[in-house]
Amino acid sequence: MQESTLICQQCGRVYPDSISLWRCQCGGLFDLNFIPKFDWVKIKQRPHNLWRYREALPIRNDQHIVSFSEGFTELLQLQLANRKIWVKQEHLFQTGSYKDRGASVLISHAHEIGIQHVVEDSSGNAGCAIAAYAARAGIRCDIYVPAETSPAKLAQIRSYGACLHLIPGSREDTATAVLNAAQDNYYASHSWNPYFFQGTKTIAYEIWEQLGGKSPDIVILPVGNGTLLLGAFIGFQDLMNAGLIDTFPKLIGVQAQACSPLVDRLHGHLQTTGLVRNQHTIAEGIAISLPIRGHEILNAVQATRGDLIRVSEHEIITAIRTVHRMGFYIEPTSATVIAAINKLENIDQEQSIVTVFSGHGLKSTEKILSLYPEE
Ligand SMILES: *Cc1c(COP(=O)(O)O)cnc(C)c1O
Ligand SMILES: [Zn+2]
């Protein structure tokens, strides 16, 4: 496997990939410079999980792979908002969300460079995924979450043996707490660490393969820190660079109106009175008021001539009820994309649309219960 390097976005400094830093010494974000390869003869012969794209994943030695045989989630065609939509079943991973894609590659890398202790912060699902993969690798793990995180996610994180830290206050207070811990420990961050995106990018490869070697016209994804949207962007870029696609899907990101900093940056603030950033939203998984890769998300959306859309609490709740009635048990954050489909304009029926169910409903029992009070 060829060399890969870490490059600082801010000062351009280059580091070998074996370094245990998660950001540049100047404080800048890392990009990973790695050229993926696709060997389709081999890929087709391998099991249906994300490690079938072995030559496109930046892990040197198979022995270091930390995996639950994750990926290749079903792509189901559903009738939603009077049209046919492809929905990738990303709630059906080992830990109940697509975060397992990123955790598998990131923890494999940590394992490969000899890391024995990781720290991570999360609004819930990334913490669950990192804790599970750390358990599988035998790596010690500390997870920082906002004190108000759904109890099911807290139970899940603790169950894997991770040390759980409940931080009072906002999601940003949690981020500050973990940054202190990350001064002496490897930060297995789903937003800072570029290896996480090397895992989430596989969603693009799978969509391409499942659509018969074609790229869809539009991909609609929930956006907080953009781990799925940026992963998809990297993945489709890889396919483009490898000459496997010649058109790029439009990437459409969806934010909850109560916390939509990226929609604000693209389209300006809402005119309604009294709207403050990071009000409470039922979509807890994407309530990120300061996404550190915000400029990259805006760039990905604009480069693909996509868009960023906001959906209201009422629209999210209407959408989740619809999806639940169809027999799919998803968490509230996952319903944002379905709410967005109702708002799409100027898209003709021939255009193929792919979206995801990003997280499992069992993670948010009390929030879902509040939607269905006893009669
Ligand atoms: C993490 C997550 C998202 C997307 O969040 P990002 O912050 O953009 O990575 C969406 N849905 C669920 C259920 C999630 O756990
Ligand atoms: Zn730097």
Side-chain angles (χ1 to χ4, degrees):
M1 173 153 293
Q2 76 276 30
E3 291 297 303
S4 54
T5 48
L6 292 160
I7 302 172
C8 174
Q9 284 186 3
Q10 204 162 287
C11 74
R13 189 165 162 191
V14 179
Y15 297 82
D17 61 1
S18 54
I19 197 140
S20 63
L21 294 175
W22 51 271
R23 67 173 168 191
C24 179
Q25 273 154 354
C26 83
L29 280 157
F30 277 145
D31 283 330
L32 186 74
N33 183 23
F34 166 73
I35 299 169
K37 303 237 166 66
F38 298 90
D39 185 333
W40 287 101
V41 176
K42 285 187 186 160
I43 291 170
K44 295 281 178 202
Q45 288 166 358
R46 292 186 181 131
H48 285 90
N49 66 62
L50 64 84
W51 290 97
R52 71 202 253 105
Y53 310 107
R54 181 68 188 89
E55 294 77 19
L57 297 172
I59 303 299
R60 281 166 212 267
N61 194 329
D62 281 0
Q63 226 169 284
H64 297 134
I65 292 174
V66 183
S67 171
F68 292 97
S69 203
E70 56 288 299
F72 233 84
T73 51
E74 289 297 327
L75 185 64
L76 297 182
Q77 199 171 47
L78 305 182
Q79 186 76 22
L80 288 160
N82 289 322
R83 56 180 303 153
K84 290 201 168 76
I85 309 279
W86 292 104
V87 186
K88 208 146 157 59
Q89 307 292 297
E90 299 282 291
H91 58 314
L92 300 180
F93 276 93
Q94 181 69 231
T95 79
S97 87
Y98 76 85
K99 297 288 194 313
D100 290 16
R101 293 185 185 278
S104 184
V105 174
L106 171 51
I107 295 297
S108 296
H109 173 69
H111 188 45
E112 184 153 82
I113 63 172
I115 301 291
Q116 284 168 11
H117 184 187
V118 296
V119 298
E120 158 74 321
D121 62 321
S122 159
S123 54
N125 288 337
C128 294
I130 293 293
Y133 283 80
R136 186 134 173 90
I139 293 174
R140 245 175 77 208
C141 178
D142 280 68
I143 304 285
Y144 293 73
V145 297
E148 270 151 48
T149 303
S150 284
K153 296 179 186 177
L154 305 182
Q156 196 181 351
I157 292 167
R158 283 209 182 105
S159 76
Y160 299 130
C163 182
L164 182 65
H165 304 262
L166 296 178
I167 308 300
S170 69
R171 177 69 184 81
E172 281 60 47
D173 295 321
T174 300
T176 307
V178 78
L179 281 175
N180 283 324
Q183 285 177 357
D184 329 292
N185 291 296
Y186 190 70
Y187 187 17
S189 169
H190 58 293
S191 47
W192 281 93
N193 200 308
Y195 284 90
F196 198 89
F197 300 86
Q198 291 294 312
T200 53
K201 73 177 184 181
T202 56
I203 193 172
Y205 304 167
E206 292 176 16
I207 290 170
W208 180 84
E209 228 192 310
Q210 288 171 316
L211 291 179
K214 276 198 301 234
S215 126
D217 296 308
I218 295 167
V219 179
I220 305 176
L221 299 168
V223 173
N225 274 312
T227 59
L228 196 50
L229 188 135
L230 290 175
F233 186 58
I234 295 170
F236 284 113
Q237 263 178 332
D238 289 350
L239 295 171
M240 183 76 100
N241 293 339
L244 294 164
I245 56 173
D246 49 21
T247 57
F248 218 99
K250 290 187 161 89
L251 297 182
I252 298 182
V254 185
Q255 301 209 287
Q257 184 172 303
C259 184
S260 46
L262 296 170
V263 189
D264 289 350
R265 273 162 73 178
L266 191 66
H267 295 298
H269 285 271
L270 264 191
Q271 294 307 304
T272 50
T273 51
L275 184 84
V276 292
R277 277 208 184 163
N278 210 355
Q279 285 172 311
H280 185 74
T281 170
I282 192 169
E284 66 174 357
I286 52 170
I288 307 292
S289 54
L290 294 167
I292 57 160
R293 292 186 187 263
H295 65 287
E296 287 174 58
I297 297 169
L298 289 171
N299 170 56
V301 165
Q302 285 172 319
T304 63
R305 303 205 278 138
D307 203 357
L308 289 166
I309 296 179
R310 48 166 88 82
V311 291
S312 70
E313 293 302 291
H314 176 72
E315 288 163 339
I316 298 169
I317 289 167
T318 305
I320 199 174
R321 288 178 196 273
T322 305
V323 172
H324 286 165
R325 286 288 192 279
M326 294 168 73
F328 296 88
Y329 197 48
I330 58 171
E331 68 170 284
T333 306
S334 306
T336 52
V337 288
I338 307 304
I341 287 167
N342 294 321
K343 306 180 84 167
L344 293 179
E345 287 158 14
N346 307 325
I347 292 172
D348 59 57
Q349 287 288 338
E350 283 84 72
Q351 299 215 292
S352 55
I353 302 181
V354 173
T355 190
V356 295
F357 289 153
S358 53
H360 204 288
L362 289 171
K363 286 170 170 283
S364 309
T365 303
E366 73 301 326
K367 288 202 173 73
I368 295 176
L369 212 44
S370 76
L371 301 176
Y372 304 111
E374 245 181 289
E375 260 138 50

